Amino acid sequence: MSVVSGVTVTVPATTANLGPGFDCIGAALKLYNEFKFTRLEEGGLTIHVTGTEAERVQTDESNLLYQAFVKFYQHIEQTPPTVKIEIKLGVPLARGLGSSATAIVGGLVAANQLEGTTLSQAQVMELAIAMEGHPDNVVPALLGGCRLAATSGAAWEICDVPWHKDVVPVVAIPNFELSTSEARGVLPTEVSRADAIFNTAHLGLLLRGLETGNGQWLKTALQDKLHQPYRKALIPGYDALNIAAVSAGAYGMVISGAGPTLLALADKLHSEAVEAAMLAAWQEEGITAEVRSLSLDTQGAKSF
Ligand SMILES: Nc1ncnc2c1ncn2[C@@H]1O[C@H](COP(=O)(O)OP(=O)(O)OP(=O)(O)O)[C@@H](O)[C@H]1O
Ligand SMILES: N[C@@H](CCO)C(=O)O
């Protein structure tokens, strides 16, 4: 294929960890960022951002989307072309919904398309994982669906995790940010054998619970001892929202990614009541939030 003059890429938001699957499982959601790249014959890099919180995105070479774009060209040992980038933000920044993964995947996919799909999807994925440092957001952002990633050292095995149609993700997105680096900074470097066994068992149960929609399994499975006990203090209202969500009929509630968004899983009969209960609980804490049920994106990054 030949090089092209421009490309638009859409990339879905993602919710990572799902409780016990720290750094290895994530699901793509129907909420998107759109990135349009146009080659320029003259002038320098131009980045234009629209959407909520647009002013918070860097518009120079430090922009993460652009850095991923450059990373692609470094990998193929070529000089990146000068481009105009137009960003339409739909995914809130630093909220635990994989905004950084949308930028990394968007920049890599756009560059690959501009160069006539020089790299395979697996090669793009490897570059994205290396940039993000863990696979649980970038893999579902690229491929869609719910994905489990495991490595033998050199390469990654990616497993499609079946998600029962009656299991609804409800996201409660507060109006404050929590950077992933801050939320990783509070984690211990070592964990006990008991906690490792706890999470191993619960992640196994979660996979079966998501596949079957078995509510009893999901209630038990959505527990974690590796990250949430340390992070919940960074999220005001965590305990109140957990009680509210479960009282309204959710199977359970977890931190979405590194937070501060909180994710409840519920069946279709209870999802609206869970939305209302989580919103009210945050309002009682004096925190403005947007709470909504989202469905799973199954397509991942798309270019046109
Ligand atoms: N559309 C974008 N364009 C450029 N940079 C972005 C974009 N979206 C996010 N970023 C960069 O990523 C940072 C947020 O990354 P961070 O890992 O802290 O949060 P997140 O990816 O939203 O959450 P999580 O990884 O927990 O799901 C932003 O501060 C910004 O620097
Ligand atoms: N697994 C990551 C997701 C956020 O990037 C974490 O929880 O830190």
Side-chain angles (χ1 to χ4, degrees):
M1 287 178 70
S2 56
V3 296
V4 292
S5 61
V7 65
T8 299
V9 182
T10 59
V11 188
T14 44
T15 181
N17 302 327
L18 300 174
F22 179 62
D23 270 4
C24 61
I25 191 170
L29 300 171
K30 285 192 174 171
L31 184 68
Y32 301 91
N33 277 342
E34 184 181 293
F35 308 116
K36 182 177 180 189
F37 285 71
T38 311
R39 282 181 196 270
L40 296 180
E41 295 305 325
E42 53 191 31
L45 170 69
T46 312
I47 301 179
H48 183 64
V49 191
T50 54
T52 314
E53 301 178 331
E55 70 290 347
R56 298 192 45 72
V57 174
Q58 295 90 336
T59 53
D60 57 18
E61 291 190 355
S62 68
N63 181 288
L64 185 60
L65 177 74
Y66 183 67
Q67 287 184 359
F69 184 76
V70 171
K71 178 71 78 182
F72 174 93
Y73 284 94
Q74 286 170 346
H75 185 79
I76 63 167
E77 298 181 343
Q78 285 186 23
T79 305
T82 303
V83 283
K84 177 173 81 173
I85 302 176
E86 293 160 83
I87 299 175
K88 280 190 199 164
L89 287 179
V91 180
L93 297 167
R95 297 297 207 293
L97 288 168
S99 69
S100 54
T102 70
I104 291 168
V105 168
L108 293 171
V109 169
N112 199 29
Q113 289 299 315
L114 285 184
E115 297 307 322
T117 50
T118 301
L119 299 187
S120 68
Q121 191 179 55
Q123 288 173 307
V124 170
M125 188 188 74
E126 298 273 348
L127 282 177
I129 296 172
M131 267 195 92
E132 177 92 324
H134 43 86
D136 45 341
N137 290 110
V138 291
V139 171
L142 180 66
L143 304 178
C146 183
R147 304 277 171 168
L148 179 72
T151 181
S152 55
W156 288 90
E157 284 300 334
I158 305 301
C159 176
D160 182 19
V161 176
W163 187 293
H164 195 278
K165 62 178 176 30
D166 292 339
V167 179
V168 180
V170 181
V171 290
I173 311 166
N175 69 346
F176 61 90
E177 294 186 5
L178 175 57
S179 78
T180 298
S181 60
E182 184 185 349
R184 290 181 89 81
V186 300
L187 302 182
T189 50
E190 293 183 4
V191 297
S192 71
R193 177 162 59 186
D195 288 354
I197 292 169
F198 183 95
N199 270 53
T200 304
H202 284 71
L203 178 57
L205 189 65
L206 178 69
L207 299 179
R208 291 288 292 138
L210 288 173
E211 181 178 4
T212 59
N214 182 314
Q216 191 57 40
W217 289 350
L218 287 170
K219 275 181 191 166
T220 300
L222 288 169
Q223 295 179 60
D224 155 73
K225 293 207 174 182
L226 296 188
H227 64 111
Q228 295 185 169
Y230 309 99
R231 288 174 160 173
K232 66 180 203 170
L234 301 173
I235 306 174
Y238 174 96
D239 286 327
L241 260 81
N242 193 16
I243 292 167
V246 172
S247 302
Y251 300 129
M253 188 200 81
V254 296
I255 299 174
S256 177
T261 290
L262 297 173
L263 167 78
L265 295 185
D267 64 21
K268 286 183 174 164
L269 281 179
H270 293 93
S271 59
E272 275 187 28
V274 171
E275 281 177 38
M278 292 176 89
L279 184 61
W282 246 335
Q283 280 169 344
E284 280 197 20
E285 299 281 330
I287 292 170
T288 307
E290 184 191 354
V291 185
R292 53 198 287 203
S293 295
L294 291 172
S295 44
L296 252 60
D297 166 277
T298 55
Q299 302 201 314
K302 286 197 295 183
S303 51
F304 47 92

